[in-house]
Amino acid sequence: MPFSVVRQSLEKAGLIPEGTERWRAGTVPVDKDLAAAALCSVSQSDCGGRISGWKYRAIPYYHDLNVMDAMELAEKLDVSLPVISALISDGYLSALEVLRGRKILVSKVDAENFVSRHSTHPRHEGDLPVITEYEVGANFYLL
């Protein structure tokens, strides 16, 4: 389930304060049973067809042509690494992890598709973000 959906359910249930910053929301102490009840009320449609992209598999070997380092992607999009992590948590990107060095890698095809469709800068004044700062820590607009 995307992290932003989890956070919205906990906010709606009054378990964490509304508007809690994404980076702080995961550290707020919450009653486990109340949180479970709040999450049971989430429907599949609330997730917008996304699932967390952290379903990675540890791979001892990878081919450089097929993957992109999360830091490289962050530089291409002009965002911080926590924003890339949030995009993965919310299912906009999928992650692979290499055991050596604990690098976060994403599929190069997925990353290039994302970069070709999204920008942190609106094309026209008044454009609304398709992925909001509330969800992932930065606004993304369609190109």
Side-chain angles (χ1 to χ4, degrees), residues 13-87:
L15 297 174
I16 63 173
E18 276 197 42
T20 301
E21 289 181 348
R22 174 182 185 82
W23 321 118
R24 181 155 154 47
T27 64
V28 176
V30 175
D31 180 272
K32 185 172 56 172
D33 296 327
L34 293 175
L39 294 177
C40 283
S41 68
V42 175
S43 71
Q44 191 63 26
S45 63
D46 294 333
C47 297
R50 295 185 326 249
I51 59 171
S52 175
W54 284 112
K55 293 186 177 191
Y56 58 81
R57 55 187 185 274
I59 50 176
Y61 172 80
Y62 63 92
H63 195 286
D64 285 337
L65 298 176
N66 299 328
V67 297
M68 179 182 290
D69 187 307
M71 285 299 294
E72 182 184 343
L73 180 57
E75 289 171 9
K76 276 188 173 195
L77 290 169
D78 194 27
V79 297
S80 65
L81 191 56
V83 171
I84 300 300
S85 177
L87 287 168

Side-chain angles (χ1 to χ4, degrees), residues 117-137:
R117 291 191 324 255
H118 298 87
S119 170
T120 54
H121 307 289
R123 291 179 76 187
H124 308 289
E125 194 172 321
D127 281 354
L128 296 175
V130 292
I131 303 171
T132 65
E133 184 174 13
Y134 175 78
E135 290 178 276
V136 298

